[in-house]
Amino acid sequence: MGTLRECTFVHSPDRSPGPEPPAPPPLPSAHRDRKPFMDLVLRRRRSALLLAFFIPGISMSSWITRTPAIRDILGASTSEMGLVLFGLSVGSMSGILSAGLLVRRFGTRPVAAVGLTLMIVGMATIALGAVTSVAVVVAAGLAFFGGGMGSAEIAINIEGSVVERIQGRPLLTTLHGCFSLGTVAGAVAGIALTAADFPVALHLSLIALITIPAAVWAVRAIPAGTGIGARTPEAPSTPRASAAIWRDSRLVLIGLIVLAMALAEGAANDWLPLLMVDGHGFDATAGSLIFAGFAASMTIGRFSGGFFLSRFGRVAVVRASAVFGVIGLALVIFAEHPGLAGAAVVFWGLGTSLGFPISISAAGDSPHDAARRVSAVATTGYVAFLVGPPLLGFLGDEYGLRGAMVVVLTFVLAAVFLAPAVRPTRSPSAGQRTDTPSGEDDVRTTSD
């Protein structure tokens, strides 16, 4: 059958043309402008998420790079620093475990707003603790910071999952890449300020001030109502319903992958500078520089994640990432040459860069109650990310930080064999892009 371009309409003199049909009425202005408007809203929403992920990254790495200096100010041992970091655990658990229910009740926007505010307050409180040399104040600041980060990160991961489904292509790897980019920026600044013997309290106070306007803009660009769950008999908003999500064995395996990768990332964030200083003999500036290398590797891995996902699929990428992580951790733990251990953090960073965001995407595959599934997996990840590393401090006091990292190595090794759990479970819908090659079942993304 020919196309319209192949058809020629010829006026015949022996046939009088009938009356021309009336021209269709013009589309209302609202319909004509709807797509550009929606594109603009989606771009602004995506930009807000990029910034919302960047803020925790730069804030956390600013604290991390000054950990040796704060340890010296407080005069704390490894186990005592573990107790200080336990404030981060308490706050994180509070934020993480409450975030899912709060999002389903109020939506992602207010939860993100409160979380980012608590992070800023926490950073200022840590600075106060550094000025006064009071460990309890630093622990309280970490509790505020952990609670804010835990709740905000759950909210923005749910928001990111929704935007990823709307736009029909991978986004969460890029969002987590912005978190890693923030850690690089914070680490570079921290290294420079550490080398210049810049006061810790002033450094952290400046970070708190800088992030205030960025947080305000990001929250204002997130639409209200996202993530609010309809209370139906099929999906009641109760803790028991949240626990029932874990009856899905695939989701349990995805959760274990997230736990392993998040623990590996969190362990580096909390302990890598001290691990290099105490375990391999580097000075504080070199330890911070090595952490910056880890953060840069994470950033590169996450920003390149979309490229590898489109060519090799989720399973291959997660498995390869875990193998890289195993190599990096093993060298850091067992290598006796400091230079080799320092270089190995590149493998550690690349290896743990993609497991978390890819697993979040995999958890959101289901068309039914995707927000609750994403919340459950993200909660698992952030428990490991924020709560697990402080517990390593107690092992480190007994066996050394290098010995404590064997626990992390074991979890990442397990992720190599759990990788098939992230394989997409739905067939693609027409006109939508996927993040998997033809050899792997594709992900269908739908617009909310």
Side-chain angles (χ1 to χ4, degrees):
M1 183 169 60
T3 64
L4 288 175
R5 291 176 182 160
E6 295 171 339
C7 299
T8 305
F9 296 93
V10 181
H11 175 66
S12 173
D14 56 347
R15 292 184 60 188
S16 59
E20 294 184 1
L27 288 173
S29 175
H31 287 278
R32 292 198 307 271
D33 298 338
R34 181 175 177 81
K35 190 176 187 303
F37 173 75
M38 292 302 293
D39 289 344
L40 177 63
V41 170
L42 188 61
R43 284 197 301 271
R44 189 164 183 260
R45 193 174 176 182
R46 188 167 55 237
S47 298
L49 285 171
L50 294 172
L51 189 56
F53 272 86
F54 182 86
I55 291 170
I58 192 172
S59 300
M60 173 163 273
S61 65
S62 297
W63 143 256
I64 291 166
T65 54
R66 305 313 297 267
T67 301
I70 292 176
R71 192 256 320 256
D72 293 340
I73 289 172
L74 299 178
S77 66
T78 300
S79 60
E80 289 169 341
M81 277 301 289
L83 288 173
V84 170
L85 289 171
F86 194 68
L88 184 67
S89 301
V90 172
S92 301
M93 285 297 293
S94 301
I96 290 168
L97 296 180
S98 63
L101 293 174
L102 291 174
V103 166
R104 287 192 291 277
R105 177 65 178 85
F106 301 105
T108 56
R109 181 177 180 177
V111 176
V114 172
L116 292 172
T117 300
L118 283 174
M119 286 177 56
I120 294 168
V121 171
M123 188 64 62
T125 306
I126 296 170
L128 177 62
V131 168
T132 58
S133 300
V134 177
V136 174
V137 176
V138 174
L142 287 171
F144 287 131
F145 185 87
M149 184 172 177
S151 56
E153 290 279 355
I154 296 294
I156 59 180
N157 269 282
I158 293 173
E159 178 76 17
S161 177
V162 171
V163 175
E164 183 177 74
R165 293 201 307 274
I166 292 173
Q167 71 176 20
R169 60 181 183 273
L171 174 64
L172 282 163
T173 53
T174 302
L175 294 179
H176 284 258
C178 281
F179 175 87
S180 298
L181 183 62
T183 64
V184 172
V188 169
I191 291 166
L193 296 176
T194 298
D197 201 21
F198 192 82
V200 173
L202 184 55
H203 173 201
L204 300 184
S205 298
L206 288 173
I207 293 297
L209 288 174
I210 291 170
T211 53
I212 289 174
V216 170
W217 185 88
V219 169
R220 292 181 63 185
I222 295 175
T226 305
I228 296 179
R231 300 191 179 188
T232 65
E234 293 79 12
S237 182
T238 64
R240 180 175 296 179
S242 299
I245 288 288
W246 292 109
R247 294 175 184 170
D248 181 351
S249 59
R250 175 175 177 265
L251 194 67
V252 171
L253 297 178
I254 292 172
L256 291 174
I257 295 172
V258 166
L259 187 150
M261 296 303 194
L263 179 62
E265 181 181 354
N269 285 342
D270 277 13
W271 294 111
L272 186 55
L274 286 177
L275 173 60
M276 290 297 158
V277 171
D278 296 345
H280 290 286
F282 289 95
D283 60 30
T285 300
S288 296
L289 185 62
I290 290 171
F291 171 74
F294 169 84
S297 301
M298 291 278 293
T299 304
I300 293 170
R302 284 174 170 170
F303 278 116
S304 62
F307 173 85
F308 291 105
L309 283 170
S310 63
R311 283 156 179 78
F312 303 106
R314 290 179 182 168
V315 174
V317 171
V318 169
R319 181 175 285 136
S321 295
V323 169
F324 270 55
V326 167
I327 293 171
L329 278 160
L331 289 174
V332 168
I333 294 168
F334 300 112
E336 294 301 329
H337 193 284
L340 179 59
V345 302
V346 173
F347 286 95
W348 188 348
L350 289 173
T352 57
S353 63
L354 294 174
F356 197 138
I358 292 175
S359 297
I360 295 294
S361 295
D365 281 351
S366 173
H368 305 294
D369 213 3
R372 195 190 299 269
R373 293 168 62 87
V374 169
S375 175
V377 170
T379 297
T380 302
Y382 284 109
V383 167
F385 180 77
L386 295 171
V387 179
L391 300 179
L392 294 173
F394 296 102
L395 288 175
D397 199 46
E398 183 70 24
Y399 303 103
L401 286 175
R402 291 170 66 175
M405 292 300 153
V406 173
V407 175
V408 182
L409 174 62
T410 303
F411 275 99
V412 176
L413 180 61
V416 175
F417 303 99
L418 297 175
V422 301
R423 180 175 287 112
T425 59
R426 293 184 289 164
S427 58
S429 58
Q432 292 175 321
R433 296 178 56 183
T434 66
D435 61 354
T436 55
S438 57
E440 184 177 313
D441 293 336
D442 294 322
V443 176
R444 179 175 58 195
T445 54
T446 57
S447 184
D448 286 280

